[in-house]
Amino acid sequence: MRGALLAFAGTVLAGIVAITYAQEIKPDRAIKYRQGALTVMGWHFGVLGAMAKGERPYNKDEAIKRASIVSEVSKLPWEGFIPGSDQGAPTKAKPEIWKEPGKFKDLQDKLIEETGKLATVAKNGDEAALKTQVGATGKACSNCHDDFRNK
Amino acid sequence: MRGALLAFAGTVLAGIVAITYAQEIKPDRAIKYRQGALTVMGWHFGVLGAMAKGERPYNKDEAIKRASIVSEVSKLPWEGFIPGSDQGAPTKAKPEIWKEPGKFKDLQDKLIEETGKLATVAKNGDEAALKTQVGATGKACSNCHDDFRNK
């Protein structure tokens, strides 16, 4: 019984520590984090975009590498949109992000779905299919920007 | 013969396109990219650091997730250190980066090695070993910062 109580107290304490940690994340840090993740995604996606537009020669291995990074990094920015981080550093994030979290989440999921397909298509080595999927992925980016990012 | 010549011409053209693309990367974009990648790495590594310091409760699944991201992202920043990007946007990068590329590369490789170990150790679920490896990884960060990053 005493052990159970101690274990319970430990769990409560751990919970308090975790909440305190979360509260200590400063908005400016969260803003810079999510911008960093989106910049990294954009950098690698940009290489695929250049291939799709013929500004850069198609290269299967490079496409696989870039698409894999885009797919993985597309999962990352979202935890940076913590409550209260609509300000604290320069940001284009619209307040709608925190007013319509369900809609925002749907658009994140759609992006992650499209970048997953992008990684798969890149591995197939079909240049035309990659081009199509680059377009679909870019559309997922702009759909979210249209609603949730200021110009 | 004509086919071979055309293929050769195509290869030359593709090479010129690629070189042109590389030349078109603006220093400020490269600076923001590498800073973004380093910020993303720091965000996830920070969670492991908080666990190691007892500021956040140890959680095996979370440690695995964070360490895996740190390991993957640690491979990314370096292509942003393109020639000429010692300026063009606010940056703490020291000119030594471009004067001692071999030494800079060694420190990148050391970091990638340590983050790889971090991902492995996290999977083992040994909290004490994770703490030790968080320390070793942090040391790889600061070793590079000492030589190549301004305060």
Side-chain angles (χ1 to χ4, degrees), chain B residues 7-110:
Chain B
F8 174 72
T11 305
V12 170
L13 187 65
I16 292 168
V17 170
I19 291 164
T20 305
Y21 180 84
Q23 286 173 337
E24 277 173 5
I25 297 176
K26 301 278 195 307
D28 70 318
R29 200 173 153 236
I31 291 169
K32 282 167 195 166
Y33 165 72
R34 71 199 187 208
Q35 289 173 343
L38 290 160
T39 298
V40 170
M41 184 164 57
W43 173 273
H44 295 279
F45 186 65
V47 175
L48 296 168
M51 279 186 198
K53 284 185 277 182
E55 292 168 8
R56 184 171 175 137
Y58 170 72
N59 178 292
K60 184 182 170 180
D61 289 340
E62 170 123 52
I64 291 171
K65 190 186 120 187
R66 302 289 179 178
S68 164
I69 295 168
V70 169
S71 173
E72 287 307 312
V73 176
S74 73
K75 299 166 190 165
L76 303 184
W78 321 116
E79 70 169 323
F81 290 91
I82 59 171
S85 67
D86 55 324
Q87 52 186 322
T91 173
K92 291 181 184 165
K94 286 189 184 177
E96 281 73 14
I97 286 171
W98 294 272
K99 288 175 194 156
E100 302 171 66
K103 189 177 171 191
F104 185 49
K105 178 71 166 60
D106 287 346
L107 290 168
Q108 297 164 23
D109 290 344
K110 180 66 179 166

Side-chain angles (χ1 to χ4, degrees), chain B residues 107-136:
Chain B
L107 290 168
Q108 297 164 23
D109 290 344
K110 180 66 179 166
L111 175 73
I112 293 165
E113 184 191 325
E114 296 294 357
T115 62
K117 283 186 198 168
L118 188 71
T120 303
V121 166
K123 282 177 197 152
N124 294 341
D126 178 338
E127 189 180 347
L130 180 69
K131 194 171 168 175
T132 302
Q133 190 53 33
V134 164

Side-chain angles (χ1 to χ4, degrees), chain A residues 25-146:
Chain A
I25 296 176
K26 301 277 194 307
D28 71 318
R29 200 174 155 236
I31 291 169
K32 282 167 195 167
Y33 165 71
R34 71 199 187 208
Q35 289 172 343
L38 290 160
T39 299
V40 170
M41 184 164 55
W43 173 274
H44 294 280
F45 185 64
V47 175
L48 296 168
M51 279 186 199
K53 284 185 277 181
E55 293 168 5
R56 185 171 173 135
Y58 169 72
N59 178 290
K60 184 181 171 181
D61 290 339
E62 169 122 52
I64 292 171
K65 191 186 118 185
R66 302 289 178 178
S68 164
I69 295 169
V70 169
S71 173
E72 288 307 312
V73 176
S74 73
K75 300 166 189 164
L76 304 184
W78 322 115
E79 71 169 322
F81 290 92
I82 59 171
S85 66
D86 55 324
Q87 52 186 321
T91 173
K92 291 181 184 167
K94 285 189 184 177
E96 281 71 15
I97 286 171
W98 294 273
K99 287 175 194 156
E100 301 171 65
K103 189 177 171 192
F104 186 49
K105 179 71 166 61
D106 287 346
L107 290 168
Q108 296 164 25
D109 290 344
K110 179 66 179 165
L111 175 73
I112 293 165
E113 185 191 325
E114 295 294 357
T115 62
K117 283 186 197 168
L118 188 70
T120 304
V121 167
K123 283 177 198 154
N124 293 343
D126 178 337
E127 190 181 348
L130 180 70
K131 195 172 168 175
T132 301
Q133 189 54 33
V134 165
T137 306
K139 185 84 184 119
C141 297
S142 57
N143 278 348
C144 194
H145 293 167
D146 287 348

